Amino acid sequence: MTETPLVHLNQVVLAFAGKPVLNGVELKIFPQDRLVILGQSGGGKSTMLRLILGILKPSGGEIKYKHLRVSRLSRSKLNLLRSRIGMVYQYSALISSLNVRANLALPVRELGRKSESDIDKLVEEKLAMVGMSGTEDKMPSELSGGMRKRVSLARALMLDPELVLFDEPSAGLDPVMSSVIDELIINLTEKTNTTSVIVTHEMDSAFRIATRMAMLYQGSIIQEGKPEDFKSSDHPVVRQFVTGEVEGPMTESLPDADNT
Ligand SMILES: Nc1ncnc2c1ncn2[C@@H]1O[C@H](COP(=O)(O)OP(=O)(O)OP(=O)(O)O)[C@@H](O)[C@H]1O
Ligand SMILES: [Mg+2]
C-alpha cells in the first residue's frame, strides 16, 4: 500500500517496571480503516491505544500521527492532537456527577470555541446519531450499560474526530446490544468517513466490524491484514484465538486442569 498512514506505530517498545509489554510493535492505520486489534487479556491492547493518544510514551520506537511524532509534541500540541481523536473507554467512563448533557458538553467547553446554545444543539445532534435522543437530563447511574456505551460513543463524536478508538465496545453487553453497538460503529464511521481502531475479544463483533485486523501476541503483531485471511490463517496462535479452541499454543503454558 502506498497510501500515507494516519497512524504509524513504528517498532514500538514499552515496558512497565522492567516488564516488557510491547517489544517492537509495527502497525499502520490507514484512513477509513476499521482496524480490529485482537489479543489476549493483559497483552497490551489498551496500552497501544494509550500510546496513540500520547498518554503513554514508548521506551523505544515512535508513534507517528500523520507527520507528527506523538511523543515529542508539546503539551498544547498534544491537546490539539487529542481533540482530533475520540476515545470510547472500556467502561464508558462518564462522569457520574454530571448529567448526559454536561458529559457531552465537556470536551467542547474545554476548547472554548462554541456558545452554550451551539453546544446544546451539538449534544442533541450527537445523541440522535446514537439513538439516545431526549436523555440530556439523565444521570449516568440512571442508564443501562448499553445506554452508557452509546452516550460515551456520542461523547467521542462531539468534536468530529478523524480517528475514534474503541476499547472493548461490547464488553458486558448482551448479544443483541453488542450487535447494536457494532452497527453503530459501522454506520457512524462510514457516514462520517472516520477512521477507527476497535479492540475486542468478541470474534463475532470483530468479523462484523473489521475492514482490517491485527493480532497482538507476546508483544508484537503476529498477523495483520484482511478479515478473510484471519478466518483461514495458518498461524497456530491466530487460529486458536479465532476459533476459541482450548488446545493450542496460547494455552500450552497453562497448568492442565486434570493434573492439578
Ligand atoms: N500504568 C501501568 N503500570 C504498570 N503496568 C501496567 C500499566 N498499564 C498496563 N500495565 C500492564 O501492561 C500489561 C498490558 O495491559 P493492557 O491493559 O494494555 O492489556 P489489554 O491487552 O488491554 O488487556 P485486557 O484485554 O484485559 O483489557 C498488563 O500486564 C498490565 O498489568
Ligand atoms: Mg484492555
Side-chain angles (χ1 to χ4, degrees), residues 42 44-47 50 90 167-168 199 201:
K45 304 178 300 298
S46 297
T47 299
R50 281 188 221 118
Q90 207 158 342
D167 200 350
E168 301 277 1
V199 165
H201 286 117

Side-chain angles (χ1 to χ4, degrees), residues 40-232:
Q40 285 171 301
S41 198
K45 304 178 300 298
S46 297
T47 299
M48 281 172 66
L49 301 185
R50 281 188 221 118
L51 283 160
I52 295 171
L53 279 168
I55 296 170
L56 288 172
K57 284 188 197 308
S59 33
E62 65 177 11
I63 293 98
K64 283 180 88 176
Y65 192 95
K66 295 181 180 165
H67 61 285
L68 302 170
R69 290 187 164 88
V70 176
S71 54
R72 301 210 190 149
L73 294 177
S74 64
R75 170 90 3 218
S76 63
K77 290 250 170 64
L78 192 58
N79 284 338
L80 208 58
L81 171 69
R82 286 189 192 146
S83 71
R84 310 292 312 131
I85 305 176
M87 174 81 196
V88 181
Y89 291 90
Q90 207 158 342
Y91 298 103
S92 302
L94 297 171
I95 298 173
S96 59
S97 58
L98 299 178
N99 67 14
V100 168
R101 179 188 292 104
N103 264 287
L104 263 61
L106 203 62
V108 189
R109 285 216 181 99
E110 277 173 356
L111 287 182
R113 291 185 204 144
K114 283 200 189 324
S115 71
E116 285 301 311
S117 69
D118 283 349
I119 294 176
D120 280 350
K121 268 189 223 129
L122 208 56
V123 168
E124 207 174 300
E125 180 194 317
K126 303 298 176 188
L127 284 176
M129 286 174 91
V130 300
M132 289 293 290
S133 292
T135 58
E136 283 89 339
D137 296 320
K138 294 242 187 276
M139 299 304 282
S141 60
E142 297 176 89
L143 305 173
S144 72
M147 293 161 106
R148 276 202 284 272
K149 201 68 100 175
R150 280 189 273 167
V151 169
S152 81
L153 176 49
R155 181 182 57 180
L157 299 174
M158 284 299 284
L159 298 173
D160 297 322
E162 56 188 353
L163 174 67
V164 185
L165 309 176
F166 296 91
D167 200 350
E168 301 277 1
S170 44
L173 302 181
D174 70 49
V176 175
M177 186 46 73
S178 46
S179 307
V180 169
I181 299 287
D182 291 346
E183 289 302 319
L184 264 178
I185 293 173
I186 296 168
N187 293 339
L188 292 176
T189 52
E190 274 178 0
K191 206 183 291 171
T192 55
N193 289 329
T194 313
T195 308
S196 56
V197 178
I198 306 101
V199 165
T200 184
H201 286 117
E202 310 282 332
M203 293 313 301
D204 290 346
S205 277
F207 282 111
R208 208 159 30 218
I209 299 173
T211 60
R212 273 178 69 224
M213 286 183 163
M215 171 131 188
L216 178 70
Y217 184 63
Q218 294 185 340
S220 52
I221 299 295
I222 56 166
Q223 184 169 339
E224 181 263 297
K226 294 199 187 85
E228 305 90 272
D229 301 335
F230 273 72
K231 280 195 176 138
S232 57

